[in-house]
Amino acid sequence: METVSENVCFDGVQGVYTHRSEVCACDMTFGLYLPPQAKSGPVPVLWYLSGLTCTHENAMTKSAAQGFAADAGLALVFPDTSPRGADVADDDAYDLGKGAGFYVNATQDPWTPHFRMWDYVSQELPELLGKEFAVDLDRQAITGHSMGGHGALTIAMAHPNRFASVSAFAPIANPSQSDWGRKQLSAYLGDDDAAWAKHDATRQMEAVGFDGPILIDQGGSDQFLDLLKPEALAHAMTTRRQNSVFRMQKGYDHSYFFVSTFIPDHIAFHADALGL
């Protein structure tokens, strides 16, 4: 692992690190904010999964999350959204290939050799963090925006008892029924709809639910509202009587102005679930 940068931030450290990923078969970069409490011992972890076209940097620099994390004593992890490198397959479209890993393990060519973001986020990167940094992996929560909200919800529901809580900002909530989903899931996983099920938050909510609290914020003026299909997830949570809060925020769009407005609520929500 190599240190790209480390900056003091709210008396903690905002770092950027690069390492060789065996899972993705390429170098991967991630951001990690360690609050000042990490100087005294391991701190709980909040994962932030980003959306289409993003790298580790977008949320790290635009979400304004570090100050609230410092107050709560939470580490923030900002993974990349896909494998990178000259040998990594790509597509001319912004919503497939680099920057659009969709948090799945690809089973179809040309994506199979590198596009294993599910295993990277849920297995390899946590193991690396536990070895190298003062983080407590027995106390984790997860959030994300758009494609990252999809990833946060599906990963949380697939790993019972790992995450104390999950939240999402404008998640791609029902990708099996959306052009933001059907295109990517068929490209990465093939045309068998059954293989898509665990990567659809609405279907997973119907099938297994989540063993902790959920918070969803959705902008009412989101330009991608028809692609996100939040009503499907809201209906599934209500039908399941899931411990959840769904908020439609009037006037807000899909941007980081929306995310930064409500990130304090989400960090407080996760801090409460983690007993901080």
Side-chain angles (χ1 to χ4, degrees):
M1 190 183 72
E2 296 182 4
T3 300
V4 177
S5 63
E6 288 184 333
N7 299 93
V8 176
C9 181
F10 294 98
D11 293 324
V13 176
Q14 176 60 67
V16 177
Y17 308 94
T18 297
H19 70 106
R20 181 67 183 179
S21 168
E22 297 302 322
V23 166
C24 295
C26 64
D27 290 341
M28 295 291 288
T29 301
F30 66 93
L32 173 66
Y33 176 70
L34 288 174
Q37 294 87 339
K39 299 169 187 175
S40 301
V43 294
V45 176
L46 175 59
W47 294 81
Y48 184 104
L49 306 187
S50 292
L52 289 167
T53 75
C54 291
T55 68
H56 68 282
E57 188 175 19
N58 296 72
M60 190 180 80
T61 59
K62 295 180 180 180
S63 68
Q66 288 90 341
F68 303 104
D71 289 342
L74 271 172
L76 298 172
V77 187
F78 304 101
D80 203 347
T81 56
S82 78
R84 308 277 176 177
D87 296 333
V88 175
D90 200 8
D91 190 271
D92 290 338
Y94 75 94
D95 57 355
L96 189 67
K98 294 178 185 178
F102 238 72
Y103 304 101
V104 303
N105 288 339
T107 60
Q108 306 297 306
D109 291 333
W111 314 107
T112 306
H114 300 285
F115 280 74
R116 301 188 61 81
M117 291 302 294
W118 178 276
D119 282 353
Y120 178 70
V121 170
S122 64
Q123 297 180 20
E124 187 178 40
L125 188 53
E127 291 175 4
L128 177 66
L129 295 178
K131 292 176 182 176
E132 300 289 342
F133 299 99
V135 294
D136 182 357
L137 295 179
D138 289 329
R139 294 189 293 167
Q140 298 185 67
I142 190 167
T143 188
H145 174 225
S146 192
M147 179 184 74
H150 139 81
L153 289 163
T154 54
I155 288 172
M157 283 188 273
H159 296 85
N161 303 314
R162 178 181 296 192
F163 301 100
S165 49
V166 58
S167 71
F169 301 85
I172 301 175
N174 193 194
S176 296
Q177 301 301 316
S178 170
D179 289 340
W180 266 3
R182 296 188 66 84
K183 172 184 177 179
Q184 294 85 355
L185 294 176
S186 62
Y188 295 139
L189 303 177
D191 294 330
D192 181 5
D193 179 78
W196 304 357
K198 79 171 186 177
H199 300 295
D200 187 309
T202 296
R203 292 169 68 176
Q204 283 298 88
M205 178 57 60
E206 293 168 348
V208 299
F210 179 63
D211 53 3
I214 296 176
L215 172 62
I216 308 290
D217 272 315
Q218 172 61 60
S221 295
D222 193 315
Q223 59 270 46
F224 304 115
L225 202 55
D226 290 342
L227 292 167
L228 301 172
K229 299 192 177 298
E231 65 281 357
L233 179 59
H235 178 73
M237 290 191 298
T238 301
T239 301
R240 190 172 188 85
R241 300 181 181 177
Q242 171 70 43
N243 178 7
S244 59
V245 175
F246 178 94
R247 307 191 302 189
M248 185 67 75
Q249 303 290 3
K250 183 178 180 180
Y252 284 89
D253 59 16
H254 200 70
S255 70
Y256 268 96
F257 296 110
F258 161 63
V259 172
S260 62
T261 299
F262 297 104
I263 197 75
D265 291 355
H266 284 243
I267 291 178
F269 165 77
H270 292 297
D272 182 66
L274 289 161
L276 298 175

